[in-house]
Amino acid sequence: MNIDFNKGEGLVPVIIQDAVTRNVLMLGYMNEEAYTRTRAEGKVTFFSRSKNRLWTKGETTGHFLHVVDIKVDCDNDTLLIKVKPDGPTCHTGTDTCWSEVNSGRTFFIEKLAGVIKDRRNNPTDASYTASLFRKGINKVAQKVGEEAVEIVIEAKDNNDDLFKGEAADLLYHYLILLEAKNIPLDEVIKVLESRQK
């Protein structure tokens, strides 16, 4: 990775993003030494302009930022670091430095849709998903119908764990059906957005 530390007098801005929620958590700065330590230890270390020293985020609170991925921008002078935070990121105790709640796991659905596409394009005998694609659209559609009935049945009971399990099954099979129909989830979301008033 070729990072240009010279443009900013030895510092580059670093955007910290939650790897799961994709929310932006904070902005900090790194010099080359902070970057090297971050890579070596797997925890984000910044250069503090006010303290004029390196500091590892979480060194006093225990709320470390564990590195998942590091990217440099097109000008080689800004970093995007995707992390798994141990707790609140801001020194005020909030999830982000903009007082936003860091929640939402819907990005996982995109990842799961990618796995489903891969099972269709690179099938194996051991894959349940690939076996549904082999059986054709009628079988996939039938599975969605079965799962829909099962979630309705569980909705009438008071067992939240069973209901969540059936909800997950329905969502999974729905994603398989979308892939079988060659319709990206984004296209369905666009329809929902068009209906919002």
Side-chain angles (χ1 to χ4, degrees), residues 161-193:
D161 288 337
L162 289 177
F163 177 78
K164 288 186 281 188
E166 293 302 338
D169 290 347
L170 176 59
L171 180 55
Y172 185 71
H173 287 90
Y174 172 65
L175 291 172
I176 294 172
L177 180 61
L178 288 178
E179 179 61 30
K181 296 287 291 177
N182 294 310
I183 297 175
L185 183 58
D186 280 354
E187 294 299 315
V188 178
I189 292 171
K190 284 179 188 175
V191 172
L192 289 172
E193 288 172 340

Side-chain angles (χ1 to χ4, degrees), residues 79 86 195:
L79 295 176
D86 277 339
R195 294 176 180 175

